Amino acid sequence: MPPSSTLLDGKALSQKMQLELKAQVEALQPHIGRPPGLAVLMVGDNPASAAYVRNKERACARVGIASYGEHFAADTGQAELTQVIHRLNQDPNVDGILVQLPLPPHLNAEALLYEIAPKKDADGLHPINLGRLVRGEAGLRSCTPAGVMRLLTTYDVKLEGKQAVVLGRSILVGKPMALMLLEANATVTVAHSKTQNLAQLTQSADILVAAVGRPSYVTAEMVKSGAVVVDVGINRVEGPAGKARLVGDVDFANVEQKASLITPVPGGIGPMTVAMLLYNTVWSYSQGSKASYNS
């Protein structure tokens, strides 16, 4: 049995990044004349979304980012939200815009994300920013996979020439995650619901990233001994006495005994996603009116 793995502590790194971003904001603000601004748009009363938004607003306050959050009724229409995004695109005090997902089913989330100006796309999901990622150009990166990469870099995880398997192919995590690992010279395989012989595939991974949204889906039998395991999943499951608890996509207790490095849930990628949202906002703020990124 290999020794117990070392945790990839996203919470600690997120706190360190927030201190660094705070110092950066304090240095830039006298020259720019205002603090950076982030607008988070939330529609409806999803309790998980409300908690996420509160966490983001508290993190903004710690760094010195002004929050321009707006909360809309669940029956708000597509046209109204589009108009709000257009207004924020033109607001010189706003550097980042985020639409909190999921949205009520009557709204087209993809269409709304397309309306955000690429330079204010704090979640890095606009096609122009995804295109910049494909081309290896500077730009805003999707927060969760960018947080994974920052965590791996901080822990000196060697990616070049390694076999990486990404479980999940969403535009939010799986696809940009694969591109970022490829950019770091890993050999990348993306697995999904139609993949055959999945366990055989995951057992070959030096780096395994799980983003499937299924509690404890990745078992110890699916993991190579000594692998680095990154758990992106955040699933609410009912515990004793009906009390909900958060678990990841990885069977942590058993996989921890086999992996060399592993992210906990909570305290792993969740805090890193928030840190990268702040990073993206400050990055856009620092660009100012640079013509190279004024689309």
Side-chain angles (χ1 to χ4, degrees):
M1 180 70 67
S4 181
S5 62
T6 301
L7 292 183
L8 292 164
D9 191 341
K11 184 176 180 180
L13 178 55
S14 174
Q15 292 170 345
K16 179 175 182 289
M17 285 182 63
Q18 288 180 42
L19 290 173
E20 293 169 350
L21 290 169
K22 181 181 180 184
Q24 188 177 349
V25 169
E26 289 173 348
L28 287 170
Q29 190 167 335
H31 304 282
I32 296 177
R34 62 170 180 84
L38 174 65
V40 178
L41 309 183
M42 189 180 107
V43 183
D45 298 304
N46 182 305
S49 291
Y52 294 149
V53 169
R54 285 194 299 271
N55 287 340
K56 290 167 184 173
E57 289 175 345
R58 285 195 288 264
C60 282
R62 289 193 293 270
V63 170
I65 296 173
S67 293
Y68 295 96
E70 299 192 38
H71 186 184
F72 301 88
D75 61 355
T76 301
Q78 189 89 11
E80 181 180 347
L81 290 170
T82 299
Q83 289 177 354
V84 171
I85 290 172
H86 289 173
R87 171 172 57 79
L88 294 170
N89 284 340
Q90 300 302 318
D91 189 335
N93 294 313
V94 173
D95 302 284
I97 303 170
L98 170 70
V99 176
Q100 181 66 41
L101 302 176
L103 292 172
H106 70 281
L107 294 170
N108 185 332
E110 187 176 84
L112 289 173
L113 295 174
Y114 281 18
E115 296 297 329
I116 298 173
K119 67 179 179 180
K120 296 190 178 187
D121 171 31
D123 225 5
L125 297 177
H126 192 282
I128 287 180
N129 286 320
L130 289 171
R132 289 181 171 128
L133 171 59
V134 171
R135 293 175 59 88
E137 298 173 357
L140 295 164
R141 301 291 193 243
S142 183
C143 296
T144 297
V148 171
M149 295 302 291
R150 179 64 69 93
L151 195 56
L152 294 176
T153 300
T154 298
Y155 278 81
D156 294 323
V157 174
K158 305 304 180 188
L159 297 174
E160 185 170 349
K162 299 296 185 180
Q163 297 287 334
V165 173
V166 179
L167 296 181
R169 53 178 169 178
S170 72
I171 199 68
L172 188 65
V173 179
K175 289 177 181 176
M177 185 80 259
L179 289 168
M180 291 180 196
L181 288 166
L182 188 62
E183 190 174 40
N185 294 319
T187 299
V188 185
T189 303
V190 178
H192 47 79
S193 60
K194 307 299 183 186
T195 299
Q196 298 181 9
N197 303 316
L198 180 61
Q200 182 179 341
L201 180 65
T202 57
Q203 286 166 2
S204 71
D206 302 305
I207 296 96
L208 179 61
V209 181
V212 293
R214 297 176 62 179
S216 304
Y217 179 74
V218 177
T219 62
E221 292 72 26
M222 297 171 66
V223 177
K224 177 182 179 180
S225 181
V228 175
V229 180
V230 177
D231 191 349
V232 177
I234 301 178
N235 308 287
R236 290 181 181 272
V237 299
E238 195 152 309
K243 187 176 181 181
R245 61 190 180 94
L246 293 179
V247 300
D249 291 348
V250 174
D251 177 10
F252 181 86
N254 292 308
V255 172
E256 182 189 18
Q257 301 304 315
K258 202 169 184 182
S260 62
L261 293 166
I262 188 170
T263 56
V265 176
I269 301 306
M272 290 304 302
T273 298
V274 175
M276 296 312 300
L277 174 67
L278 304 177
Y279 175 89
N280 280 350
T281 302
V282 174
W283 188 86
S284 292
Y285 172 70
S286 71
Q287 299 304 295
S289 60
K290 291 181 182 178
S292 63
Y293 202 78
N294 202 30
S295 54

